[in-house]
């Protein structure tokens, strides 16, 4: 049996009762969190243009609805991640569209989300040690779209799943960084692969065949997209090693890698306000000598390409959300970071850019060691690869990083019940009068770790309400698995009910 055949046989027969309670609960939070992200996209002016081009989030053609939902939730970096991949843009968006169209129960919706999560994350993990990661690894959505749809449609024949995935992965997408960072093409980053996944499902239904050995064949997917292929990640521990356990929930726009620094900046805002008194502004940019952000190579790597595009308030949104100085400066000045902070008039605030110019990033090797010790975003892959990961590690961070990661490497974890995402940061604000204020955070708020496992339902409720959602709708998300078809449909309409601004 090939990798795709084994994966598809498992996913096609997955039932709600097969899924552990903790994984079901995480999937319910994932649905609410991604609905909040879709809401944010829908009320943004760019989201309005997307809806004008492709139609409403819920429309008669579920395939088109899936594409719109995928697109709306993706480009503000509010989408949830896992080891491995930015899953929710397909693994939640597509089941939402088809659960609505086919009037499914909440249990059926959550089962489809988990099936899509597990398949998409596993294929993504197998190619994680390669040139594409994070939102650029859009092959995640080819898999998530196919699996989310087929499970919602009740397709039990694993051969149809294998054919659809073989066809979807036959021509994997690869975004160009210039377009991704400097144009509105970023809005199509998830929409395009989800559309291709819809086409692959239709083709398989009509009898077109995919190559069942596409993943592992020497001329196949992993050979083309992985520097260090990890085929065992596709099928190891099916039904025991749940990738949904590795979910990290995005509480604020921006990323990847800036979350911990922004968390620290928000804490520092409170401390500085307490220091100067509540009647005065907490931070006067002219009084700041430097804002030092010590962080791992991951944050430095993620921001390196974006930095050249960010020169002021007219910088493209695609680059701004990957840029550390502006979000950190904003959080220090305002005590938060919202979608509105990436639009005018907030973007035109000269104080933010004055302070952003004083933000300096530097590498902390200890935080990089913690990064590789965690499961996400790629520590688990390095452990799976062992010494074979050295070429990828060398390209990522040089000889020192390769040695650091391999020295700390342990055998792959048997499951992900203790998974973490340690993308940490230490932020120090040095004032011109000589005083210094420091905060440090190893695991960002909402990222995989003990706090998120204990409080994810509360965290995503806060996210949903902060982004304009109704409190009662947010509270009802914990009951998704018990919702009948009528109640689920009503909940979906309430969750996505937004007041969009008039087109500009």
């Amino acid at each position: 049996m090939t990798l795709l055949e084994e994966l598809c046989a498992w996913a096609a027969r997955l039932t709600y009762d097969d899924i552990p309670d903790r994984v079901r609960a995480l999937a319910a939070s994932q649905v609410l969190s991604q609905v909040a992200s879709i809401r944010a996209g829908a009320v943004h002016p760019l989201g309005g243009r997307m809806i004008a081009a492709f139609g409403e989030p819920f429309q008669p053609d579920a395939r088109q609805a899936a594409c719109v939902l995928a697109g709306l939730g993706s480009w503000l970096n509010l989408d949830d991640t896992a080891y491995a991949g930015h899953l929710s843009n397909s693994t939640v968006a597509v089941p939402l569209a088809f659960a609505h169209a086919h009037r499914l129960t909440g249990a059926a919706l959550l089962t489809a989300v988990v099936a899509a999560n597990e398949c998409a994350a596993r294929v993504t993990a197998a190619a994680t040690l390669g040139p594409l990661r994070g939102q650029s690894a859009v092959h995640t959505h080819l898999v998530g779209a196919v699996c989310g749809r087929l499970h919602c449609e009740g397709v039990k024949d694993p051969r149809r799943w294998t054919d659809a995935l073989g066809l979807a992965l036959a021509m994997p997408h690869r975004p160009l960084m210039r377009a991704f960072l400097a144009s509105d093409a970023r809005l199509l980053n998830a929409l395009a692969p989800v559309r291709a996944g819809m086409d692959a499902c239709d083709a398989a239904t009509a009898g077109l065949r995919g190559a069942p050995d596409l993943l592992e064949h020497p001329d196949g997917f992993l050979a083309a997209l992985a520097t260090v292929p990890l085929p065992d990640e596709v099928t190891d521990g099916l039904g025991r090693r749940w990738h949904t356990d590795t979910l990290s929930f995005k509480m604020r726009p921006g990323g990847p890698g800036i979350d911990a620094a922004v968390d620290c900046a928000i804490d520092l805002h409170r401390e500085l306000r307490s220091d100067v008194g509540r009647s005065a502004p907490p931070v006067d940019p002219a009084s700041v000598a430097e804002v030092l952000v010590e962080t791992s190579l991951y944050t430095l790597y993620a921001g390196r390409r974006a930095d050249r595009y960010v020169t002021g308030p007219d910088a493209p949104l695609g680059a701004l959300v990957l840029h550390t100085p502006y979000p950190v400066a904003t959080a220090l000045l305002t005590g938060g970071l919202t979608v509105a902070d990436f639009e005018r008039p907030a973007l035109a605030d000269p104080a933010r850019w004055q302070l952003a110019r004083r933000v300096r990033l530097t590498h902390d090797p200890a935080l990089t060691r913690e990064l590789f010790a965690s499961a996400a975003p790629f520590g688990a892959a390095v452990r799976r690869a062992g010494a074979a990961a050295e070429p990828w590690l060398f390209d990522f961070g040089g000889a020192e990083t390769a040695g650091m990661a391999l020295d700390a490497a342990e055998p792959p974890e048997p499951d992900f019940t203790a998974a973490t995402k340690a993308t940490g940061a230490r932020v120090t604000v040095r004032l011109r009068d000589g005083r210094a204020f420091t905060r440090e955070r190893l695991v960002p708020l909402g990222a995989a770790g003990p706090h998120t496992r204990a409080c994810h339902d509360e965290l995503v409720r806060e996210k949903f309400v902060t982004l304009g959602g109704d409190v009662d709708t947010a509270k009802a998300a914990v009951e998704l698995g018990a919702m009948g078809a009528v109640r689920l449909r009503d909940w979906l309409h309430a969750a996505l009910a937004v007041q969009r601004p008039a087109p500009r």
Side-chain angles (χ1 to χ4, degrees), residues 350-406:
R352 300 187 186 203
W353 293 101
Q354 183 182 357
L355 188 56
R357 286 191 289 271
R358 295 192 170 97
V359 176
R360 180 170 66 90
L361 273 66
T362 187
H363 178 220
D364 183 327
L367 291 175
T368 295
R369 280 192 289 272
E370 294 285 356
L371 171 74
F372 282 106
S374 64
F378 37 64
V382 171
R383 284 187 285 283
R384 172 73 70 183
E390 186 171 6
W392 181 86
L393 289 166
F394 188 87
D395 288 344
F396 178 74
E400 181 183 359
T401 300
M404 184 189 308
L406 293 175

Side-chain angles (χ1 to χ4, degrees), residues 103-291:
R103 291 174 165 77
L104 300 184
T105 65
L109 168 65
L110 293 183
T111 308
V113 169
V114 172
N117 279 346
E118 297 302 316
C119 294
R122 287 169 172 275
V123 173
T124 305
T128 283
L129 301 184
L132 304 176
R133 67 189 59 83
Q135 286 197 338
S136 69
V138 292
H139 46 266
T140 300
H141 304 312
L142 295 169
V143 180
V146 167
C147 297
R149 174 180 173 178
L150 292 181
H151 211 286
C152 282
E153 291 183 330
V155 177
K156 302 297 185 184
D157 180 5
R159 176 173 166 177
R160 176 109 66 87
W161 285 64
T162 302
D163 285 335
L165 283 177
L167 293 167
L169 293 167
M171 291 171 279
H173 297 60
R174 181 167 184 162
L176 301 178
M177 281 298 106
R178 171 66 181 172
F180 187 78
L181 295 176
S183 79
D184 291 343
R186 183 186 179 92
L187 277 74
L188 307 179
N189 193 64
L191 186 152
V194 166
R195 186 184 295 282
M198 298 299 96
D199 290 343
C201 289
D202 291 339
T205 299
L208 272 66
R209 302 298 307 276
D213 61 351
L214 184 70
L215 291 180
E216 65 266 42
H217 193 277
D219 294 327
F221 176 82
L222 290 177
L225 290 187
T227 305
V228 183
L230 302 173
D232 288 348
E233 286 292 275
V234 178
T235 56
D236 185 47
L238 282 167
R240 184 188 75 248
R241 197 173 188 245
W242 295 90
H243 281 247
T244 304
D245 275 325
T246 71
L247 277 170
S248 291
F249 300 99
K250 284 302 298 286
M251 299 301 293
R252 305 181 190 93
I258 72 169
D259 298 345
V262 170
D263 290 339
C264 292
I266 290 171
D267 288 344
L268 286 165
H269 168 90
R270 299 189 188 109
E271 182 176 359
L272 289 163
R273 179 174 285 280
S274 175
D275 181 71
V276 302
R278 293 190 178 276
S279 62
V283 179
D284 176 4
S287 71
V288 176
E290 179 183 52
V291 179

